[in-house]
Amino acid sequence: MGLAANFNFIVAVRRSPLSMMIPMLALVPVLTTICGGILLGEWPTPVQAAGILFVAAGLFTLYLPAGGGFHPLAVWHSFASQPGAKPMAGVVALWSMSPPVDKLCLDHASVGTHGVIQLIVLCAAAGCWLLATGGFKSLTLPRGAFKPLMGVALTAGLGYGTQLMAYQMTL
């Protein structure tokens, strides 16, 4: 889910202005809360539900058409007119489902096992994608890119491991 979301994120921000795409990510905690309720039985309190309504109202306001019109269909058309809207909606959905699914997985495996399984699946999927789209020659790095890339990989791995430990601690 994370790999597909990341690819969709790149597509979305290439197609539409950041100012119209990034605010959509405010829906990630909202949908994560809903997914957590459905999958884990962890429903929001009334105050948290009110916060969800404020997020929805903010996004509704963001996509109000320039020429006026407070009608929900006008807002929907304004949203749908963004070329990056569909890929970013996919990002939001996938990133929202990941935490509850991870938390469910951690009921059955340790952080290390879950992380290794995800890493194997991620590497296999990325390898298949590389082979299908241009082969391993697309892995050639520009001069001076190796150290920053390794830094990013290490930081991402540590961040994800910490995230999984936090999920496990909240079971």
Side-chain angles (χ1 to χ4, degrees):
M1 287 188 288
L3 181 64
N6 291 344
F7 283 141
N8 276 327
F9 181 87
I10 292 167
V11 169
V13 297
R14 281 185 173 172
R15 291 183 181 174
S16 292
L18 284 174
S19 62
M20 298 302 283
M21 294 298 100
I22 297 303
M24 286 180 61
L25 296 177
L27 287 175
V28 171
V30 170
L31 294 179
T32 299
T33 302
I34 293 167
C35 289
I38 294 167
L39 295 174
L40 304 168
E42 299 176 2
W43 293 100
T45 66
V47 172
Q48 292 166 334
I52 288 171
L53 291 176
F54 281 119
V55 170
L59 284 173
F60 184 86
T61 304
L62 176 69
Y63 286 100
L64 282 172
F70 201 68
H71 194 275
L73 283 178
V75 172
W76 174 255
H77 289 299
S78 175
F79 166 76
S81 71
Q82 289 295 322
K86 286 181 184 176
M88 190 58 86
V91 170
V92 169
L94 291 167
W95 279 352
S96 298
M97 288 185 286
S98 293
V101 169
D102 280 338
K103 195 169 178 180
L104 283 173
C105 291
L106 290 171
D107 269 343
H108 306 286
S110 69
V111 170
T113 301
H114 182 61
V116 167
I117 290 169
Q118 284 200 337
L119 181 61
I120 291 168
V121 170
L122 177 67
C123 289
C128 290
W129 181 76
L130 281 173
L131 287 173
T133 60
F136 288 103
K137 66 179 177 272
S138 60
L139 284 177
T140 305
L141 297 175
R143 269 200 129 117
F146 182 76
K147 285 182 182 178
L149 184 60
M150 289 301 105
V152 167
L154 179 63
T155 305
L158 290 172
Y160 187 63
T162 304
Q163 177 182 340
L164 291 176
M165 286 190 304
Y167 292 158
Q168 194 170 42
M169 291 167 57
T170 60
L171 291 175

